[in-house]
Structures are given as structure tokens and as C-alpha cells.
Amino acid sequence: MHGEYKVPGGKLVVVDLDVADGVLRRVRVAGDFFLEPDEAILAIDRALEGAPADTDAAGLAARIDAALPPGTQMYGLTPEGVGVAVRRALAHATDWTDYDWQLIHEPPQSPALHMALDEVLTAEVAAGRRPPTLRVWEWGAPAVVIGSFQSLRNEVDPEAAERHGIEVVRRISGGGAMFIEPGNTITYSLSVPDALVQGLSFADSYAYLDDWVLGALGDMGVKAWYQPLNDIATEAGKIAGAAQKRVVTGDGAVLHHVTMAYDIDADKMTEVLRIGREKLSDKGTKSAKKRVDPLRRQTGLPRETVIERMIASFRSRYGLTEGAVTEEELARAKELAGTKFATPEWTARVP
């Protein structure tokens, strides 16, 4: 069995192993990480040899920690990362490069249609009718997008939203509210087969699916990192938030979408969103305006250029073919937008 895992912000870990009588055998750990002293790599292999095959990643990491020689130094590698690579091998997880990725980047669409496209395209990936897809959104109108389980009245000031012409929609994934203005926001979705995240915990899958964009930001001079559970942050503040939805039909799929602040009208945002003190307290800041630090200031680049460089970075890593929403997918999404995402019943399902 073969498993690979790129440690977030670190290096690639590769594990080859067999299973016999319910335990790990012939374990070999490799990768492009740095490790001192040399014998530490043999200690890692020995620590995993004979481990029960149902040991979770944390349990495997504990075995490694206990076996490392005193003074061991790891660079781009963690015991937890090795544990995840083992679990991915056991789960027969796939890798990014196992797929022919498709890009969808189409003209602006309504907020409700974007919500529906996410659901439809991810279901198509689960059914095997669509390849794994990176979809970059263009917004046709300003919006507030609330999480699947958020209370509408707790999150949004309806009078302020109406005054500013802002549509409120609810997505199928959890997480918090996102304030959207077309020229100030960069949003993308990944619709991926469930096999890509096999062996990863729910939390680990966020870091795994965000890793490519951290590299893209780094190429633009922005030192960013994944901040559990679902933020992308820099020293200056949060720049993006992610959310996920798992599809269990067919072979299964994961929707992972991210909204990034290219620029922001902070005064308008705080008028429209009811951002409470409790939410701000865990961010270490007293002001909602200070929670988000836009990419425009950090990169000095036009929004279109930021998007182009993000796409180019993904393509250079994993390959990417130009694609489009099919007529059948669009028809289904339009129907779903009308019958679900644009209806008061869905938007206010948690009043």
C-alpha cells in the first residue's frame, strides 16, 4: 500500500507498507523533508512496524514521538503528518495528480445560482459524470452568504441589507457569514472525489485542500497559513474563510469552497452583518473591521491578476483543462436556484 501526504506548510511524506494479521508490516517512510539525526528515519519505521492497522493518526504519531532519538530535529515533517500518510495508504487514498482537473471560470452569475451550482457540480463529481473541478466564481450582485446552520436574524440586519441592495442566500455548507461585493471578493470551489481526502480527519482535509492556494499566495509575496478550523490568515489578519459539504451519494465527493477578501467596505459590512462580541473574542481583536486584511493591499495587484496567478499556480501543480458548466448542469442548477436557494423557506430555515 502506498500513501502520500503533504504536511501543510511543510514537505511531502510518502509511506509504503503492507498489512498482515491486522498489523502494519514492512513500513518504509520517505519524502523530501529534512530530519536529523539520520537514524531517526529508522526509528520512525520501527515505531510503525507492528502497529494495529486500525490505529488512528494520533495514535501513530504518539508511537513515533516515543521512539525518536533524543534531540531529533524535523523540518517540513511532523509525527502527525506521518500518521496521516499511513492512514491514507490504508484507505487507498488518491492524490491530486491522479486526476484530470477541469477549470470553470464563467461570467457573473446570481448568488442563488452560485449556491445551486456548487450542489449540482459536486453531485456530478460524486456520480462520476464530471471530473474533479476548480470553479472560480464571478458575482453578479452583492450578497451575504450565511452558513447552513446559522440563524438568519442573528447574522443579518435585513433593513441594512435592503438599503444597500444586498441579497441574502444560504449555502449548503456550515461555517460563518460571508460579506460579498463583486469587485472586492474572490471565491472558488473545489468539487473533489471523496477518495482524495480518504485517511484525513475532517479538520485535516481543510488544510490539505487549502495548501495549493497558500503556495499561490506565497508566489505573490503573501506569507499565509492555514488557521484551524477554516481560516486562511497572515500576520496582518484573516484573508479568507473556507467551508465544506460532504456528498454521500455515488462514490462520494467533497465540496470545499473559499471566499477571499480582495478589498472590503468594512463600514458597510458591519452595518449589514450582526457581528457579535463573542465571535470577535476568539479572534483576538476588538473590531470587526480589523479581522480581515484584504489582498489588494497585501499584493498590490489587480483582482484579475490575483485570480490569474492562482489558476496558474494550480495548473502548474496538478494540471488544469479549460471546461464549462454543461447545458444539463446549468438547467438543473437554475431549477434548484428557483425551488430552493432563492426561496424564503430555505433562506430562513433557521430563522
Side-chain angles (χ1 to χ4, degrees):
M1 300 177 189
H2 179 87
E4 298 185 2
Y5 178 63
K6 184 180 181 299
V7 176
K11 298 293 186 176
L12 182 68
V13 182
V14 181
V15 176
D16 292 284
L17 57 84
D18 294 323
V19 174
D21 299 323
V23 299
L24 307 186
R25 295 299 184 196
R26 292 175 286 281
V27 182
R28 292 294 179 267
V29 175
D32 60 353
F33 48 79
F34 301 92
L35 181 63
E36 295 288 349
D38 282 352
E39 56 266 28
I41 190 68
L42 299 178
I44 292 173
D45 291 344
R46 286 194 297 267
L48 296 172
E49 190 74 20
D54 59 357
T55 308
D56 63 15
L60 295 169
R63 290 175 69 104
I64 294 169
D65 273 326
L68 289 173
T72 295
Q73 297 293 314
M74 293 182 168
Y75 303 94
L77 174 70
T78 64
E80 293 78 11
V82 177
V84 170
V86 170
R87 294 310 314 168
R88 285 176 60 75
L90 292 166
H92 302 285
T94 55
D95 184 67
W96 295 83
T97 54
D98 292 331
Y99 299 103
D100 295 323
W101 291 87
Q102 186 174 111
L103 170 69
I104 295 176
H105 188 192
E106 297 187 335
Q109 290 153 324
S110 71
L113 185 57
H114 276 307
M115 304 301 109
L117 282 169
D118 262 358
E119 182 168 329
V120 169
L121 297 181
T122 307
E124 289 296 285
V125 171
R129 293 187 291 264
R130 159 168 286 282
T133 299
L134 167 65
R135 183 170 74 93
V136 179
W137 304 22
E138 296 294 345
W139 292 90
V144 167
V145 183
I146 60 175
S148 181
F149 311 108
Q150 287 188 296
S151 162
L152 177 61
R153 63 170 169 256
N154 286 349
E155 297 299 326
V156 183
D157 183 324
E159 294 180 357
E162 183 177 0
R163 183 168 64 252
H164 291 293
I166 293 174
E167 183 177 348
V168 181
V169 292
R170 185 185 296 275
R171 62 181 183 268
I172 59 174
S173 61
M178 308 303 294
F179 178 74
I180 305 297
E181 291 186 294
N184 289 347
T185 306
I186 297 172
T187 304
Y188 67 85
S189 299
L190 287 169
S191 295
V192 308
D194 184 67
L196 183 62
V197 297
Q198 281 297 304
L200 299 175
S201 69
F202 186 77
D204 286 339
S205 71
Y206 273 84
Y208 184 68
L209 295 175
D210 280 340
D211 189 66
W212 73 274
V213 81
L214 301 184
L217 291 168
D219 292 341
M220 288 181 269
V222 179
K223 184 180 179 182
W225 59 85
Y226 160 76
Q227 184 168 297
L229 170 67
N230 61 334
D231 287 351
I232 297 174
T234 70
E235 292 181 353
K238 174 181 173 179
I239 58 174
Q244 287 187 6
K245 176 67 176 179
R246 305 295 170 108
V247 175
V248 297
T249 57
D251 291 329
V254 177
L255 168 65
H256 179 92
H257 43 201
V258 174
T259 293
M260 313 178 79
Y262 172 73
D263 204 347
I264 194 164
D265 185 332
D267 291 324
K268 188 186 297 184
M269 179 185 72
T270 53
E271 282 185 52
V272 175
L273 296 184
R274 301 186 191 275
I275 302 176
R277 293 181 181 179
E278 184 67 23
K279 182 180 292 186
L280 296 175
S281 65
D282 68 345
K283 306 296 181 180
T285 180
K286 295 180 180 179
S287 171
K289 300 177 184 179
K290 296 178 182 178
R291 285 186 61 201
V292 180
D293 194 68
L295 285 172
R296 180 177 184 175
R297 186 192 67 77
Q298 295 201 45
T299 65
L301 298 171
R303 175 180 177 274
E304 294 75 15
T305 302
V306 173
I307 292 173
E308 288 171 2
R309 294 194 181 182
M310 287 171 56
I311 291 171
S313 181
F314 190 101
R315 181 177 285 115
S316 68
R317 285 171 172 240
Y318 311 126
L320 195 59
T321 302
E322 300 286 337
V325 177
T326 67
E327 291 183 6
E328 293 82 2
E329 290 167 342
L330 183 59
R332 287 168 54 201
K334 286 181 175 178
E335 179 182 7
L336 196 59
T339 59
K340 179 177 180 178
F341 291 104
T343 66
E345 291 79 12
W346 170 258
T347 306
R349 78 183 188 101
V350 183

